[in-house]
Coordinates of all heavy atoms in Angstrom, one line a residue:
Chain Q
S887 N 134.0 14.0 47.1 CA 134.1 13.9 45.6 C 132.5 13.5 45.3 O 131.9 12.6 45.9 CB 135.0 12.8 45.2 OG 134.9 12.8 43.8
G888 N 132.1 14.2 44.4 CA 130.7 14.0 43.7 C 129.6 14.5 44.5 O 128.4 14.2 44.2
C889 N 129.9 15.4 45.4 CA 128.8 16.0 46.3 C 128.2 17.1 45.6 O 127.1 17.6 46.0 CB 129.2 16.4 47.7 SG 130.3 17.7 47.7
G890 N 128.7 17.7 44.5 CA 128.1 18.7 43.8 C 128.7 20.1 43.8 O 128.2 21.1 43.6
K891 N 130.0 20.0 44.3 CA 130.8 21.3 44.2 C 130.9 22.0 43.0 O 130.6 23.2 42.7 CB 132.2 21.1 44.8 CG 132.3 20.3 46.2 CD 133.7 20.2 46.6 CE 134.6 19.2 45.8 NZ 134.0 17.9 45.8
S892 N 131.3 21.3 42.0 CA 131.4 21.8 40.5 C 130.0 22.3 40.1 O 129.8 23.3 39.5 CB 131.9 20.8 39.6 OG 133.3 20.4 40.0
T893 N 129.0 21.5 40.3 CA 127.6 21.8 40.0 C 127.2 23.2 40.6 O 126.6 24.0 40.0 CB 126.7 20.7 40.4 OG1 127.2 19.5 39.9 CG2 125.3 21.1 39.9
R896 N 129.1 25.9 38.7 CA 128.5 26.1 37.4 C 127.2 26.9 37.5 O 126.8 27.5 36.6 CB 128.3 24.7 36.7 CG 129.6 24.1 36.4 CD 129.4 22.6 36.1 NE 128.6 22.4 35.0 CZ 128.9 22.4 33.7 NH1 130.2 22.6 33.4 NH2 128.1 22.3 32.7
Q928 N 138.9 23.0 36.3 CA 139.9 22.1 37.0 C 141.1 21.8 36.0 O 142.3 21.6 36.5 CB 139.2 20.9 37.3 CG 140.1 19.8 38.1 CD 139.3 18.8 38.9 OE1 138.0 18.8 38.7 NE2 140.0 17.9 39.5
D1003 N 137.6 26.2 40.1 CA 137.2 24.9 40.4 C 138.5 24.0 40.5 O 139.0 23.6 39.5 CB 136.3 24.3 39.3 CG 135.7 23.1 39.6 OD1 136.0 22.5 40.7 OD2 134.6 22.6 39.0
E1004 N 138.9 23.8 41.7 CA 140.1 23.0 41.9 C 141.2 23.4 41.1 O 141.8 22.6 40.3 CB 139.9 21.5 41.8 CG 138.7 21.0 42.8 CD 138.7 19.5 42.8 OE1 139.8 19.0 42.5 OE2 137.6 19.0 43.1
V1035 N 136.7 26.1 44.8 CA 136.3 24.8 45.1 C 137.8 24.0 45.3 O 138.6 24.2 44.5 CB 135.6 23.9 44.0 CG1 135.6 22.5 44.2 CG2 134.2 24.5 43.8
Ligands
MG1344 MG1 134.2 18.9 40.5

Side-chain angles (χ1 to χ4, degrees):
Chain Q
S887 181
C889 72
K891 304 183 294 295
S892 298
T893 307
R896 291 163 60 85
Q928 183 163 0
D1003 193 350
E1004 304 193 24
V1035 168

